[in-house]
Amino acid sequence: MEAIFYIAAIVAVLATVLTVTRLNPVHALLYLTVSLLAVAVVFYTLGAPFMAALEVVIYAGAIMVLFVFVVMLLNLGRHTVDLERSWLSPGAFVGPAILAAILVGEVSYLLARSGTLTPPVAEVGPHQVALALYGPYLLGVELASFLLLGALVGAYHVGSRRAQGRTTVGSRSDRTGLASGGDLVRTGADRPSGAA
Amino acid sequence: MFALGLIGLLVRRNLLFILMAIEVMLNAAGLAFVSAGARWGQADGQVMFLFILTVAAAEVAVGLALLLRLYHRFHSLDVDAASEMRG
Amino acid sequence: MFHLLWLVPTIPFAGAALLMIFGPRMAHRTAAFMGCCSIGISAVISMLIAWQFLHQPPAGGGYTQHLWTWMSVANFHLGISFYLDALSLIFMLVVTFVSFFIHVYSSEYMRGDEGFSRFFAYMNLFVASMIVLVLGSNLLLLYLGWEGVGACSYLLIGFWYTDPKNGLAAQKAFITTRVGDTAMAVGLYLLFQQLGTLNIQSLMQAAQHQWPQGSIYATAAGLLLLGGACGKSAQLPLQTWLPDAMAGPTPTSALIHAATMVTAGVYLIARTHVLFALSPTAQLAVAVVGAATLIAAGFAALVQDDIKRILAYSTVSQIGYMFLGLGVGAWTAAIFHFMTHAFFKALLFLASGMVITSMHHEQNIFKMGGLRKELPLAYWAFVIGGCSLAGLPLVTAGFYSKGLILWGALSSPVGSATLWFFGVIGVLMTSLYTFRLIFITFHGPCHHKPSQKTGWLMGVPVIVLMTLSVVGGFVELPSYLGNHPWFTNFLQSALPATAEGHAALSELGAEGIVVLAFFLGLGAAWFFFLQRRELSESMAESGLGRALHRWWYTDWGMDWLYDRLFVRPVGWFSRANKKDAVDLIYTGTAAVTRSGWSSLRLTETGRVRWYATALVVGTVIFVLIVALL
């Protein structure tokens, strides 16, 4: 059991290093996914199976999908197909595949030996987590829901600006509408530079 | 892992990578919480991880929306290119 | 009738308010009617109250009308309440009646002036404030009226505000009286702090019970109140504003700067006479101030050439007599002189207003002359008023009142022969400058033909005041003339009688010397200014004469002295301190902040990674500090 923990941890660190050092975003995303999956395994070995499931579903699933969506959104155009091809070249799959294979091996080993392995630490199951969550942390749950709502509205607002026709996707040469201000990153330019 | 994420944040200029680095950092923090919770056999660590998960989801949604805006404005994901502020 | 007391100040106040709001849209006739009527009604009510006061005097000699509570903080309670006794009744009557006649006079005098309704609004407001001053049952209400009349005085001196000179005169009056008012305010604090009340009646009782004779507190309070009185009543050393105050319209000079407001100081001292009776020092100070002022102002009046300035200095001098009377404990005599002075001085000012109107606003007496035939009413008004002012024996009011004061100065235990002697010199001076004024203005060769004739609206008040200037004295006949001290008896309930000490002379003998002084002055004036005019001119031309002339003309150089003592040092200091040393602290703070800002703004690069690095470094340093400590 401890061996599984250490192997998963090494995989996680390795994948993270590779994530940070990749130049290609799609490659980095692949490594990041692997890293998250490794962390999920670590969670399981630490006696938190519920968290491990959440890690896989939300992090490796939902959040990574968002990233992939955005990467795809940014690259609409004639080069897209070529870019896709170059990104998804078989060579790029090697590294993540190896790391993922290690994880699969671990998981299958765990499944095969299920019930016989004793975790090194006491397992804290979803039951206890739910009791704590809706007991002393009720206020935190409410706040988290507010945060999600705010993020939803904020992301919609920020992302839907282009619906107002101020900039168009892919029009690389058109920068005439830029000086109109109001964007978050441009607000600084409105300040008089010689304010001293 | 936290340190790795931090380095990623500081070193990379691509906004997408910065966001990923932030995800890594959050994940590292969550890992620390869960480990601590496991060490003491308490559910609190996992509760904290849940909150971190929520924060990460919210952050990534807003962050990616901002990224899209930035890209449409500057046609690049270089955060230093977005620096027009003259202090 | 007493319950109508609150109407006496309220009606003029309402008149003032209406005139201020609707005045600019009113016809002049309406404004004048309203202005005069409000004072007239007020005067009638005063008379009704006086009638009842004479027939059914209120218990204890005073009637208090409590209207509402003004303020109530901890153990400090003040009401808007009026106190009526013999003293305030006399003042109220004189103020309302003289004001009424002056209002009637002004309705013609001010005709055609563009500020016509404004003038009446100010005058009504003045009367209301003056009555509040007189009737106020506590010293704070009195102070309210005191400041109210001061403000009206300021407004009316600067009435023709388009001329900057008038504005300056108004400011001078306001600032100079403010000096005295500050002293008075300090006096009020002292009284409240020591005795715990500001209600005049309880204050006087408390002072009598708590302070021994000659108490230091009584002296301090008395001197501080005297300071306030000096400012308001233009006594030495704060008298310099009154001659300049003649910049206002003549009816204003008559009402405010001769008959009523300037005597507020006299009222204040008479009202708080208990304090002065407790402190011989303060009382002596009052007497000395009065005696010094009456002499100084007499000499200054002798060399003026502006008809109104002469009268202004004579006012200062006559109030000096009142202060002398108060200072020697001849309380009723001072009040008596206040009353007669209000009559004859208002008369003189109104008559001078007639002269000035006829002469196209010429005020220099040396450019007049021979007006006796042209302006008979003004001439007779001047003769009667002047005789009353100088004290023509037996037939004029001024003779009786001034005689009473001088007799008090000689005979009272507080008085002395020196004070009396100064008073007699003052009589000589008074008669000298009064008849100089009359002889130069109305006799001799005629320089300018007067043009305008004055109407009955100006004539009637003058005639009424002429009558009062004569008969006003008969309410108090001295012992050698049948001894009918009605006036003193009337005031007995409010003011103590003049204490009789032993005197070096009999009353008749002393009176004889006063009469002698009067005739000496009259004769000298007749000789120098009518018979041998060139003699007085050659005297004025000689070296010593010219120096004295200049010195007295500038009121003993007081303005010059104050200019050097106060105005210039303050001006110099403010110029030297143009950059404002204190301000350096604030500009320095601003400069430091600014430099901090300009160095901090260097960190505002707009580079996200730079921010993130700074965040990390800051966190690491913080964690290190926490860990190390």
Side-chain angles (χ1 to χ4, degrees):
Chain A
M1 201 70 185
E2 288 204 14
I4 291 173
F5 168 80
Y6 284 115
I7 293 167
I10 290 164
V11 169
V13 172
L14 260 179
T16 312
V17 170
L18 288 167
T19 306
V20 174
T21 51
R22 283 315 83 180
L23 298 177
N24 190 313
V26 176
H27 296 170
L29 276 177
L30 281 172
Y31 280 115
L32 184 56
T33 315
V34 172
S35 160
L36 294 173
L37 289 174
V39 170
V41 173
V42 169
F43 280 170
Y44 182 78
T45 57
L46 283 176
F50 183 50
M51 289 307 118
L54 281 180
E55 177 89 4
V56 173
V57 172
I58 295 179
Y59 258 116
I63 294 178
M64 283 311 113
V65 165
L66 258 181
F67 268 100
V68 172
F69 270 171
V70 168
V71 170
M72 296 308 165
L73 268 175
L74 293 176
N75 293 286
L76 293 176
R78 50 199 158 84
H79 295 299
T80 312
V81 180
D82 302 338
L83 282 171
E84 294 259 351
R85 186 169 297 136
S86 67
W87 286 348
L88 300 178
S89 64
F93 284 109
V94 177
I98 293 167
L99 292 175
I102 294 169
L103 289 177
V104 168
E106 282 187 347
V107 172
S108 50
Y109 175 74
L110 281 172
L111 286 174
R113 300 285 306 274
S114 78
T116 56
L117 282 173
T118 46
V121 289
E123 185 176 309
V124 180
H127 181 70
Q128 284 167 277
V129 176
L131 280 181
L133 206 55
Y134 289 94
Y137 290 102
L138 191 61
L139 197 65
V141 173
E142 292 296 327
L143 287 176
S145 69
F146 273 110
L147 179 68
L148 283 174
L149 182 65
L152 177 71
V153 174
Y156 175 75
H157 178 71
V158 174
S160 70
R161 282 283 195 87
R162 64 194 166 132
Q164 297 165 7
R166 305 218 299 145
T167 52
T168 49
V169 178
S171 60
R172 313 223 162 188
S173 57
D174 176 27
R175 286 177 63 115
T176 50
L178 300 186
S180 55
D183 279 275
L184 291 172
V185 284
R186 276 190 61 86
T187 45
D190 297 334
R191 213 173 63 175
S193 53
Chain B
M1 258 176 83
F2 185 82
L4 281 174
L6 190 59
I7 290 163
L9 178 85
L10 298 181
V11 171
R12 301 307 295 261
R13 284 156 57 110
N14 190 318
L15 189 58
L16 199 67
F17 280 93
I18 290 176
L19 281 178
M20 278 194 242
I22 291 172
E23 289 302 310
V24 170
M25 284 163 70
L26 284 170
N27 208 18
L31 181 62
F33 267 117
V34 172
S35 324
R39 168 70 181 79
W40 306 107
Q42 294 290 322
D44 298 12
Q46 298 189 33
V47 171
M48 280 302 152
F49 179 72
L50 265 178
F51 288 147
I52 287 173
L53 204 66
T54 323
V55 170
E59 173 264 328
V60 87
V62 176
L64 286 173
L66 281 172
L67 182 139
L68 282 178
R69 299 292 307 148
L70 189 77
Y71 186 71
H72 293 143
R73 169 60 43 94
F74 294 99
H75 300 284
S76 116
L77 288 174
D78 187 350
V79 284
D80 287 353
S83 168
E84 292 193 351
M85 191 187 278
R86 280 164 298 276
Chain C
M1 276 304 141
F2 289 148
H3 56 271
L4 291 179
L5 190 61
W6 63 278
L7 280 173
V8 180
T10 307
I11 292 175
F13 188 75
L18 286 175
L19 281 166
M20 273 176 203
I21 297 167
F22 301 110
R25 272 173 256 160
M26 276 180 187
H28 282 188
R29 187 183 282 276
T30 325
F33 182 74
M34 218 162 129
C36 298
C37 256
S38 60
I39 309 295
I41 295 171
S42 188
V44 168
I45 293 172
S46 313
M47 206 155 66
L48 290 172
I49 290 170
W51 183 259
Q52 198 192 358
F53 196 94
L54 278 175
H55 287 85
Q56 293 171 302
Y63 167 79
T64 308
Q65 185 174 38
H66 180 76
L67 294 180
W68 70 84
T69 303
W70 189 7
M71 51 185 93
S72 179
V73 181
N75 60 346
F76 178 65
H77 304 286
L78 276 184
I80 298 281
S81 46
F82 296 135
Y83 178 76
L84 183 82
D85 66 353
L87 177 64
S88 48
L89 181 67
I90 295 278
F91 268 81
M92 184 172 82
L93 274 178
V94 171
V95 168
T96 50
F97 268 85
V98 174
S99 311
F100 174 67
F101 290 122
I102 292 173
H103 271 75
V104 172
Y105 176 91
S106 341
S107 65
E108 184 182 335
Y109 185 87
M110 297 299 290
R111 184 172 292 160
D113 194 287
E114 57 180 338
F116 192 78
S117 64
R118 188 162 57 94
F119 178 82
F120 277 99
Y122 291 165
M123 291 286 268
N124 272 18
L125 185 62
F126 165 78
V127 175
S129 308
M130 187 72 198
I131 293 170
V132 167
L133 192 168
V134 165
L135 288 179
S137 80
N138 57 60
L139 280 174
L140 206 64
L141 193 57
L142 187 148
Y143 197 73
L144 178 75
W146 186 275
E147 294 299 325
V149 292
C152 291
S153 160
Y154 168 79
L155 290 170
L156 283 163
I157 295 169
F159 183 73
W160 289 308
Y161 54 84
T162 45
D163 186 352
K165 228 173 63 223
N166 296 344
L168 286 178
Q171 282 174 18
K172 185 179 179 186
F174 200 70
I175 292 167
T176 315
T177 49
R178 201 66 42 240
V179 175
D181 291 356
T182 311
M184 179 175 165
V186 175
L188 295 195
Y189 302 146
L190 178 72
L191 285 173
F192 178 71
Q193 200 257 331
Q194 285 298 319
L195 299 175
T197 176
L198 279 179
N199 186 300
I200 296 171
Q201 299 311 311
S202 36
L203 195 67
M204 293 304 125
Q205 278 171 4
Q208 245 163 352
H209 287 132
Q210 293 181 18
W211 288 343
Q213 182 73 22
S215 140
I216 180 85
Y217 289 122
T219 309
L223 288 177
L224 286 166
L225 291 183
L226 173 64
C230 275
K232 206 58 145 186
S233 294
Q235 295 298 292
L236 223 59
L238 297 174
Q239 89 287 28
T240 52
W241 65 272
L242 189 59
D244 287 347
M246 295 300 128
T250 308
T252 304
S253 311
L255 178 60
I256 299 184
H257 305 119
T260 53
M261 185 193 86
V262 287
T263 53
V266 179
Y267 175 77
L268 177 69
I269 292 178
R271 198 23 110 205
T272 56
H273 62 89
V274 174
L275 294 179
F276 291 90
L278 279 174
S279 160
T281 321
Q283 206 172 9
L284 185 67
V286 175
V288 168
V289 163
T293 310
L294 76 90
I295 294 287
F299 278 104
L302 193 58
V303 295
Q304 302 298 318
D305 50 23
D306 182 323
I307 185 167
K308 282 178 77 181
R309 282 181 86 89
I310 297 175
L311 293 177
Y313 279 111
S314 87
T315 305
V316 174
S317 163
Q318 295 308 305
I319 297 170
Y321 272 109
M322 294 179 213
F323 271 59
L324 177 63
L326 294 170
V328 298
W331 313 104
T332 53
I335 304 305
F336 185 34
H337 194 55
F338 149 74
M339 188 180 81
T340 57
H341 173 258
F343 295 148
F344 63 69
K345 191 50 65 69
L347 170 66
L348 283 169
F349 266 109
L350 296 189
S352 78
M354 290 168 96
V355 173
I356 291 166
T357 315
S358 315
M359 298 295 291
H360 303 289
H361 296 281
E362 176 56 62
Q363 301 195 1
N364 191 332
I365 52 171
F366 290 101
K367 293 189 177 158
M368 302 174 187
L371 295 176
R372 182 172 37 144
K373 293 270 167 24
E374 310 291 340
L375 299 167
L377 182 62
Y379 173 65
W380 284 108
F382 256 98
V383 167
I384 290 175
C387 288
S388 200
L389 169 64
L392 179 68
L394 302 182
V395 293
T396 59
F399 167 73
Y400 294 104
S401 57
K402 209 180 281 186
L404 206 58
I405 288 178
L406 288 172
W407 175 239
L410 184 64
S411 70
S412 106
V414 196
S416 66
T418 323
L419 290 173
W420 177 79
F421 181 69
F422 274 115
V424 174
I425 297 287
V427 170
L428 176 70
M429 297 304 303
T430 310
S431 107
L432 189 60
Y433 69 70
T434 308
F435 289 105
R436 165 179 176 268
L437 168 66
I438 292 174
F439 290 148
I440 290 179
T441 312
F442 292 98
H443 292 265
C446 185
H447 296 296
H448 290 287
K449 274 266 173 205
S451 57
Q452 285 164 281
K453 288 285 169 206
T454 48
W456 64 273
L457 277 177
M458 277 162 88
V460 168
V462 167
I463 292 168
V464 171
L465 287 172
M466 266 159 79
T467 322
L468 284 173
S469 300
V470 174
V471 303
F474 297 139
V475 295
E476 172 94 11
L477 294 177
S479 53
Y480 54 87
L481 280 176
N483 195 11
H484 286 298
W486 290 302
F487 192 79
T488 305
N489 289 345
F490 177 66
L491 275 177
Q492 213 68 76
S493 57
L495 291 171
T498 313
E500 290 277 335
H502 75 98
L505 292 161
S506 71
E507 188 169 1
L508 198 59
E511 211 50 74
I513 294 173
V514 173
V515 170
L516 196 66
F518 165 75
F519 279 112
L520 208 62
L522 173 61
W526 177 77
F527 183 72
F528 283 118
F529 298 109
L530 200 58
Q531 284 303 106
R532 306 282 300 275
R533 192 80 164 278
E534 67 284 351
L535 208 62
S536 69
E537 277 160 13
S538 66
M539 258 165 69
E541 285 304 308
S542 66
L544 179 67
R546 193 180 298 173
L548 277 178
H549 186 276
R550 266 221 356 243
W551 195 25
W552 291 341
Y553 186 77
T554 55
D555 192 13
W556 302 80
M558 290 290 259
D559 277 333
W560 178 87
L561 188 69
Y562 288 158
D563 188 51
R564 292 295 147 99
L565 267 184
F566 301 113
V567 179
R568 293 219 184 162
V570 170
W572 172 83
F573 181 73
S574 56
R575 264 194 306 281
N577 197 19
K578 215 174 208 168
K579 290 216 170 128
D580 197 355
V582 179
D583 213 32
L584 279 180
I585 298 169
Y586 306 107
T587 51
T589 313
V592 168
T593 314
R594 185 176 285 267
S595 64
W597 160 72
S598 56
S599 55
L600 277 180
R601 70 192 264 263
L602 294 176
T603 65
E604 288 257 331
T605 54
R607 288 161 192 266
V608 179
R609 295 188 312 128
W610 167 259
Y611 294 164
T613 315
L615 216 90
V616 169
V617 171
T619 314
V620 168
I621 291 173
F622 180 74
V623 169
L624 273 181
I625 289 173
V626 170
L628 288 178
L629 293 181

